[in-house]
């Protein structure tokens, strides 16, 4: 497992780097090749927050975050969350995406009980509603204003300069994010 470790409001020491690498090595058994993970550890108040993001081949993105009093516990919680996500999406990844980078044979049958996985999730996705929306060319500021006027958490629009689809969204901290699809 290749870890891109960064710190926010905290210096990443050799001890933190060693602990993260040692703990994330547990995930190697679930992947058929070397995977890359972005791990952000930040100091928040009296505790720590760990955010882990993995971009797997052929599209799936696994993401987990956890808050705890120690960075070790926060790292452990993100690992557990990533394993739950892999297990939860196992059927969908194998059936729909023909995903071969995850080795599912390393999940034993007791895993579902241990992590309390809901088996009904493996059923087909039910799209309850489809909306057709006209995309109007606008700049990012206009899109944020439109999103706020509608009271939504995200807004899809055409960037008036690039004439490409963009998505603005409201973040938990109250500021905004912009998604720019890469080709």
């Amino acid at each position: 497992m290749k870890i891109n470790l960064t710190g926010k409001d905290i210096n990443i020491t050799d001890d933190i780097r060693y602990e993260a690498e040692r703990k994330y090595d547990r995930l190697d058994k679930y992947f058929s090749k070397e995977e890359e993970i972005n791990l952000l550890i930040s100091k928040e108040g009296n505790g720590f927050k760990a955010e882990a993001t993995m971009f797997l081949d052929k599209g799936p993105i696994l993401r987990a975050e956890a808050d705890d009093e120690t960075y070790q516990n926060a790292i452990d919680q993100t690992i557990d969350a990533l394993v739950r996500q892999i297990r939860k999406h196992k059927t969908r990844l194998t059936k729909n995406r023909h995903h071969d980078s995850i080795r599912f044979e390393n999940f034993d049958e007791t895993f579902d009980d241990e992590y309390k996985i809901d088996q009904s999730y493996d059923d087909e996705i039910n799209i309850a509603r489809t909306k057709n929306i006209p995309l109007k060319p606008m700049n990012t500021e206009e899109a944020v204003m439109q999103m706020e006027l509608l009271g939504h958490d995200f807004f899809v629009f055409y960037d008036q300069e690039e004439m490409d689809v963009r998505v603005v969204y409201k973040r938990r901290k109250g500021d905004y994010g912009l998604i720019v699809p890469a080709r």
Side-chain angles (χ1 to χ4, degrees):
M1 181 82 40
K2 181 178 183 297
I3 299 176
N4 301 323
L5 184 60
T6 54
K8 180 179 171 188
D9 300 328
I10 186 174
N11 290 329
I12 301 298
T13 63
D14 289 339
D15 291 340
I16 294 173
R17 185 170 304 282
Y18 171 76
E19 189 76 18
E21 288 173 354
R22 184 179 67 80
K23 289 181 181 239
Y24 272 94
D25 279 347
R26 287 181 13 208
L27 292 179
D28 281 341
K29 68 181 179 180
Y30 299 119
F31 299 98
S32 56
K33 66 179 186 86
E34 182 78 9
E35 290 293 340
E36 190 171 317
I37 188 162
N38 296 327
L39 179 61
L40 171 68
I41 297 179
S42 57
K43 180 82 169 131
E44 292 192 354
N46 292 333
F48 294 88
K49 182 175 186 175
E51 298 177 33
T53 308
M54 294 180 75
F55 298 93
L56 301 177
D57 291 340
K58 300 179 186 173
I61 299 171
L62 303 176
R63 186 172 187 291
E65 61 181 63
D67 297 308
D68 205 287
E69 294 175 1
T70 66
Y71 69 86
Q72 294 96 334
N73 289 345
I75 289 172
D76 283 339
Q77 291 173 18
T78 59
I79 292 169
D80 291 343
L82 290 172
V83 171
R84 278 193 303 273
Q85 285 179 29
I86 293 168
R87 177 61 181 101
K88 190 175 189 179
H89 297 292
K90 174 183 172 182
T91 304
R92 190 169 301 135
L93 289 171
T94 55
K95 186 168 106 181
N96 297 345
R97 308 244 190 331
H98 307 291
H99 203 283
D100 57 359
S101 69
I102 299 176
R103 295 192 318 231
F104 294 111
E105 66 273 6
N106 286 314
F107 290 100
D108 60 10
E109 297 304 316
T110 62
F111 184 88
D112 294 345
D113 297 331
E114 180 182 343
Y115 287 100
K116 307 206 178 12
I117 302 296
D118 179 12
Q119 292 299 319
S120 66
Y121 190 80
D122 289 340
D123 295 340
E124 293 296 317
I125 295 174
N126 180 25
I127 307 271
R129 183 176 177 188
T130 300
K131 276 188 173 183
N132 293 316
I133 56 169
L135 294 180
K136 177 184 163 198
M138 60 180 70
N139 63 33
T140 306
E141 290 78 22
E142 288 177 292
V144 169
M145 184 181 70
Q146 185 66 46
M147 177 183 68
E148 290 295 330
L149 287 172
L150 292 171
H152 291 174
D153 294 329
F154 69 93
F155 187 76
V156 180
F157 68 102
Y158 269 124
D159 180 48
Q160 68 185 15
E161 293 176 15
E162 302 290 324
M163 290 308 287
D164 246 345
V165 175
R166 304 284 191 258
V167 178
V168 291
Y169 61 96
K170 190 166 192 138
R171 300 182 67 221
R172 289 184 192 143
K173 293 182 179 181
D175 54 356
Y176 301 97
L178 176 67
I179 297 174
V180 179
R183 295 181 185 195

